[in-house]
Amino acid sequence: MPVLALKGRSFGEVSAIAWNRLATRSRQFRLPLVMRISQKETERWLDAGESLCWPLTQAKAVEILNRHPEDHERILAWADEIASGFAQVPQFGRRCLDPSFPEGASAAEIYAYRMTARLDFLRPLAQAHLISGRDDFLHALDGLIEGWSHARSVARSWDTVDDSIRVLNLLEVMAVLRERLPVDTVRFGLQTILYCAWNIEGRRARTGNHLIYEALAL
């Protein structure tokens, strides 16, 4: 354990750090076995998209959107841009929604990719489709969920907070549009949620960002 991590800490704080790291290592060691044991149950879950208990219904989402007609124009304009393959990313401006990871890129480019890969561009498409009924928003959503699902399945290190945001956004989108999305797309979305959830469970700390525990709870 690095000396700097111990400097100025009480015995109780040092013990908590050590226990937390031991617990994390233990989860990471056990995770592959748990995943193998639960594989059959996982497959049943992935095939049961329509029968799952979802946290939000399409009718409720439409009701919420209809309460705020003043936001519709902004949502539609935002979704039009996303449907064209671009999105406004905080701190980085307008960026292409390319799911491929920028190997060998600068730290700034990799961070921009992380911000883009959080998938918060899915919700405007879902909202715009519910407002307008336009199929182009649904088709764009379909392609993005599949593309980013393939990107997320790559075996590499993924940030747990980023993955937590993916879980929250994907659950909301599929909850309200699962009946309109192709079965394969729903499965891609559910598979991405599982990738994220296993990563969060294996690497989470005893203390951490609240999004991590919200995602695990959902």
Side-chain angles (χ1 to χ4, degrees), residues 167-178:
V167 169
L168 298 172
N169 288 327
L170 275 167
L171 275 174
E172 181 177 329
V173 168
M174 290 193 299
V176 301
L177 289 182
R178 65 189 183 280

Side-chain angles (χ1 to χ4, degrees), residues 100-133:
S100 58
F101 183 74
E103 297 287 353
S106 66
E109 274 300 303
I110 292 174
Y111 185 68
Y113 174 85
R114 281 184 52 199
M115 295 294 288
T116 307
R118 286 180 172 186
L119 298 180
D120 52 358
F121 48 78
L122 294 181
R123 291 188 300 151
L125 288 173
Q127 293 167 349
H129 174 70
L130 292 177
I131 290 169
S132 67

Side-chain angles (χ1 to χ4, degrees), residues 34 44 52 62 69 95 98 117 134 144 152 163 192:
V34 174
R44 286 196 297 270
L52 296 176
V62 171
R95 295 187 62 86
D98 182 1
R134 284 170 48 184
L144 287 169
R152 183 57 191 76
D163 271 353
T192 301

Side-chain angles (χ1 to χ4, degrees), residues 111-198:
Y111 185 68
Y113 174 85
R114 281 184 52 199
M115 295 294 288
T116 307
R118 286 180 172 186
L119 298 180
D120 52 358
F121 48 78
L122 294 181
R123 291 188 300 151
L125 288 173
Q127 293 167 349
H129 174 70
L130 292 177
I131 290 169
S132 67
R134 284 170 48 184
D135 286 339
D136 58 329
F137 292 139
L138 201 59
H139 295 325
L141 194 64
D142 183 19
L144 287 169
I145 289 175
E146 180 175 352
W148 283 98
S149 175
H150 289 312
R152 183 57 191 76
S153 68
V154 175
R156 52 174 298 270
S157 178
W158 293 88
D159 184 87
T160 52
V161 174
D162 294 349
D163 271 353
S164 299
I165 294 172
R166 293 184 185 101
V167 169
L168 298 172
N169 288 327
L170 275 167
L171 275 174
E172 181 177 329
V173 168
M174 290 193 299
V176 301
L177 289 182
R178 65 189 183 280
E179 296 175 357
R180 301 190 185 188
L181 289 169
V183 173
D184 286 346
T185 301
V186 174
R187 187 181 175 91
F188 279 130
L190 292 175
Q191 184 66 72
T192 301
I193 289 171
L194 282 178
Y195 287 141
C196 296
W198 285 122

Side-chain angles (χ1 to χ4, degrees):
M1 186 180 298
V3 174
L4 288 177
L6 303 180
K7 187 177 180 180
R9 298 182 184 273
S10 68
F11 176 77
E13 289 172 328
V14 172
S15 298
I17 291 171
W19 177 255
N20 182 42
R21 292 187 179 182
L22 179 62
T24 300
R25 294 295 185 190
S26 175
R27 282 197 306 274
Q28 291 173 341
F29 178 77
R30 289 183 285 110
L31 205 57
L33 176 61
V34 174
M35 291 172 68
R36 284 197 297 272
I37 292 173
S38 63
Q39 186 58 43
K40 288 185 178 179
E41 183 179 352
T42 296
E43 288 299 323
R44 286 196 297 270
W45 188 78
L46 289 171
D47 291 332
E50 286 301 315
S51 60
L52 296 176
C53 180
W54 295 87
L56 182 66
T57 66
Q58 181 178 305
K60 186 63 177 177
V62 171
E63 178 190 331
I64 293 170
L65 287 168
N66 287 341
R67 288 186 209 153
H68 304 280
E70 69 278 4
D71 292 331
H72 290 188
E73 185 176 348
R74 176 183 57 81
I75 291 171
L76 290 169
W78 190 8
D80 274 325
E81 181 181 36
I82 293 169
S84 71
F86 293 86
Q88 293 292 331
V89 178
Q91 305 176 43
F92 295 97
R94 192 169 187 261
R95 295 187 62 86
C96 177
L97 297 175
D98 182 1
S100 58
F101 183 74
E103 297 287 353
S106 66
E109 274 300 303
I110 292 174
Y111 185 68
Y113 174 85
R114 281 184 52 199
M115 295 294 288
T116 307
R118 286 180 172 186
L119 298 180
D120 52 358
F121 48 78
L122 294 181
R123 291 188 300 151
L125 288 173
Q127 293 167 349
H129 174 70
L130 292 177
I131 290 169
S132 67
R134 284 170 48 184
D135 286 339
D136 58 329
F137 292 139
L138 201 59
H139 295 325
L141 194 64
D142 183 19
L144 287 169
I145 289 175
E146 180 175 352
W148 283 98
S149 175
H150 289 312
R152 183 57 191 76
S153 68
V154 175
R156 52 174 298 270
S157 178
W158 293 88
D159 184 87
T160 52
V161 174
D162 294 349
D163 271 353
S164 299
I165 294 172
R166 293 184 185 101
V167 169
L168 298 172
N169 288 327
L170 275 167
L171 275 174
E172 181 177 329
V173 168
M174 290 193 299
V176 301
L177 289 182
R178 65 189 183 280
E179 296 175 357
R180 301 190 185 188
L181 289 169
V183 173
D184 286 346
T185 301
V186 174
R187 187 181 175 91
F188 279 130
L190 292 175
Q191 184 66 72
T192 301
I193 289 171
L194 282 178
Y195 287 141
C196 296
W198 285 122
N199 180 48
I200 296 165
E201 172 60 19
R203 298 179 59 206
R204 65 182 173 84
R206 184 176 61 84
T207 59
N209 191 293
H210 66 95
L211 293 169
I212 289 174
Y213 298 99
E214 290 173 11
L216 283 177
L218 285 170

